[in-house]
């Protein structure tokens, strides 16, 4: 009987030991270059835990009482830091812009500060609105100056902004942007269907610059508030077959072939998109 009890205890200890080893295995073997780079960038970090994501080594830690995650490549190059901050910690211009926006009455669920090398620091305010048994969630992206870069429906409710990791742009694209939009700051890059989309801030506007697979410029576009449309556009619309329609959305496009306004119009259930060049001519 004693032998059986002893054997059972030894088996239990082995199981516990294996579990401990399994827990240790969850902590990746972080390259010294990444550890050194992290220690140099965040010397006061505490409660540091490492994990791997998409080929990066991610340090989850606390710094100045804030929770943060820093992304490093195996060679120790820093790529991004996401910090969870309180709403009160936002720059005053961002808070002011949000409090004057159409989302001012929504509930703020979370606020993140996103820092990346050679790119614009952005602040992401996650908001939600409950009405009639349904719930809407939006992610609002702001620059430090309070420019609303974009508002995106939050479909998965996550706050891991892996899609905002910086991508290396071809030099020809960077040179084009610097020449055509001097003083602009990079916000985001994305590649889809063979096209390269670069989001920038230029002249206090958030602009989308589109290139084809051969790095040729296709277009640049940005949102235009209805009240900012020039008289030539509103007059052309008033004198057209769409005079009874209301403007739901407006964008301005620059292209190698010429510039134009793209208007989304609606009348009841009917919706239509029209292009009008700066002189007021329908395209």
């Amino acid at each position: 009987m004693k032998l059986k009890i002893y054997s059972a205890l030894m088996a239990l200890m082995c199981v516990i030991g294996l579990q401990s080893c399994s827990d240790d295995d969850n902590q990746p073997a972080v390259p010294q270059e990444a550890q050194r780079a992290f220690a140099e960038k965040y010397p006061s970090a505490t409660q540091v835990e490492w994990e791997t994501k998409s080929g990066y080594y991610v340090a989850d830690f606390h710094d100045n009482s804030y929770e943060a995650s820093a992304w490093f490549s195996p060679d120790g190059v820093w790529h991004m830091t996401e910090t969870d901050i309180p709403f009160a910690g936002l720059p005053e211009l961002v808070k002011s812009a949000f409090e004057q926006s159409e989302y001012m009455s929504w509930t703020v669920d979370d606020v993140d500060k996103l820092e990346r090398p050679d790119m614009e620091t952005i602040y992401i305010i996650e908001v939600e609105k409950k009405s009639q048994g349904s719930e809407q969630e939006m992610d609002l992206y702001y620059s430090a100056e309070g420019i609303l870069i974009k508002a995106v429906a939050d479909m998965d409710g996550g706050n891991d902004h892996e899609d905002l990791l910086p991508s290396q742009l071809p030099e020809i694209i960077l040179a084009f942007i610097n020449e055509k939009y001097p003083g602009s700051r990079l916000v985001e890059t994305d590649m889809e269907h063979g096209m390269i989309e670069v989001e920038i801030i230029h002249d206090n506007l958030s602009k989308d610059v589109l290139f084809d697979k051969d790095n040729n410029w296709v277009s640049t576009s940005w949102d235009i508030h209805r009240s900012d449309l020039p008289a030539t556009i509103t007059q052309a619309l008033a004198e057209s077959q769409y005079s009874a329609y209301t403007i739901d959305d407006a964008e301005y496009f620059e292209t190698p072939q010429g510039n134009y306004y793209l208007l989304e119009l609606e009348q009841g259930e009917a919706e239509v998109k029209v292009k009008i060049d700066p002189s007021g001519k329908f395209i």
Side-chain angles (χ1 to χ4, degrees):
M1 177 64 71
K2 290 183 179 179
L3 180 60
K4 289 183 179 180
I5 294 175
Y6 176 78
S7 299
L9 288 173
M10 289 299 295
L12 179 60
M13 291 178 67
C14 287
V15 170
I16 294 173
L18 288 172
Q19 288 177 341
S20 298
C21 290
S22 176
D23 289 341
D24 290 341
D25 290 342
N26 289 333
Q27 288 287 316
V30 183
Q32 290 186 354
E33 292 85 352
Q35 294 188 52
R36 187 181 303 112
F38 172 77
E40 290 176 356
K41 189 169 183 63
Y42 299 104
S44 60
T46 60
Q47 302 179 48
V48 182
E49 294 184 2
W50 289 90
E51 59 181 325
T52 55
K53 291 183 181 179
S54 304
Y56 293 89
Y57 288 88
V58 183
D60 300 316
F61 62 102
H62 285 70
D63 193 27
N64 294 325
S65 74
Y66 292 158
E67 294 183 12
S69 298
W71 297 61
F72 293 85
S73 52
D75 57 358
V77 175
W78 169 68
H79 290 267
M80 181 173 73
T81 297
E82 177 183 353
T83 306
D84 191 5
I85 65 174
F87 183 83
L90 285 168
E92 290 300 323
L93 291 175
V94 177
K95 286 191 289 185
S96 177
F98 170 75
E99 290 166 351
Q100 297 177 44
S101 73
E102 61 182 293
Y103 300 99
M104 60 180 295
S105 62
W106 291 43
T107 301
V108 175
D109 183 52
D110 191 52
V111 178
D112 292 318
K113 176 182 179 181
L114 213 62
E115 301 169 283
R116 298 155 299 168
D118 302 321
M119 299 190 77
E120 181 76 1
T121 297
I122 56 177
Y123 298 86
I124 306 171
I125 305 176
E126 299 177 17
V127 295
E128 60 182 22
K129 180 181 181 181
K130 298 179 181 180
S131 61
Q132 299 178 348
S134 63
E135 181 175 291
Q136 293 177 275
E137 296 183 1
M138 297 290 293
D139 291 344
L140 312 178
Y141 294 69
Y142 286 93
S143 71
E145 298 92 346
I147 300 170
L148 179 61
I149 298 168
K150 61 182 178 180
V152 181
D154 188 350
M155 304 304 293
D156 57 12
N159 60 352
D160 187 345
H161 302 293
E162 184 176 338
D163 57 325
L164 293 175
L165 281 163
S167 301
Q168 183 63 45
L169 287 171
E171 287 298 327
I172 189 172
I173 287 181
L174 289 172
F176 175 89
I177 291 175
N178 289 333
E179 181 179 352
K180 188 169 181 63
Y181 305 106
S184 61
R185 291 113 63 195
L186 296 178
V187 174
E188 184 179 354
T189 60
D190 189 27
M191 181 175 290
E192 190 172 0
H193 306 301
M195 307 291 282
I196 301 174
E197 183 179 354
V198 184
E199 198 160 4
I200 65 173
I201 291 178
H202 178 250
D203 287 345
N204 291 323
L205 294 170
S206 175
K207 300 182 178 182
D208 293 325
V209 192
L210 192 64
F211 299 86
D212 65 19
K213 61 181 180 62
D214 297 316
N215 301 327
N216 297 309
W217 176 56
V218 175
S219 67
T220 301
S221 62
W222 59 91
D223 291 332
I224 298 288
H225 195 275
R226 293 183 292 271
S227 61
D228 294 329
L229 288 170
T232 53
I233 304 302
T234 55
Q235 183 176 346
L237 194 62
E239 295 174 353
S240 73
Q241 59 182 310
Y242 305 107
S243 58
Y245 283 67
T246 58
I247 301 173
D248 182 51
D249 190 51
E251 290 181 272
Y252 186 70
F253 278 79
E254 294 178 336
T255 75
Q257 297 76 31
N259 304 337
Y260 62 88
Y261 292 86
L262 176 63
L263 307 181
E264 294 184 15
L265 310 175
E266 60 182 12
Q267 183 186 39
E269 297 296 324
E271 296 181 354
V272 64
K273 292 184 179 181
V274 298
K275 294 180 181 179
I276 309 177
D277 71 18
S279 69
K281 178 183 177 181
F282 280 80
I283 302 174

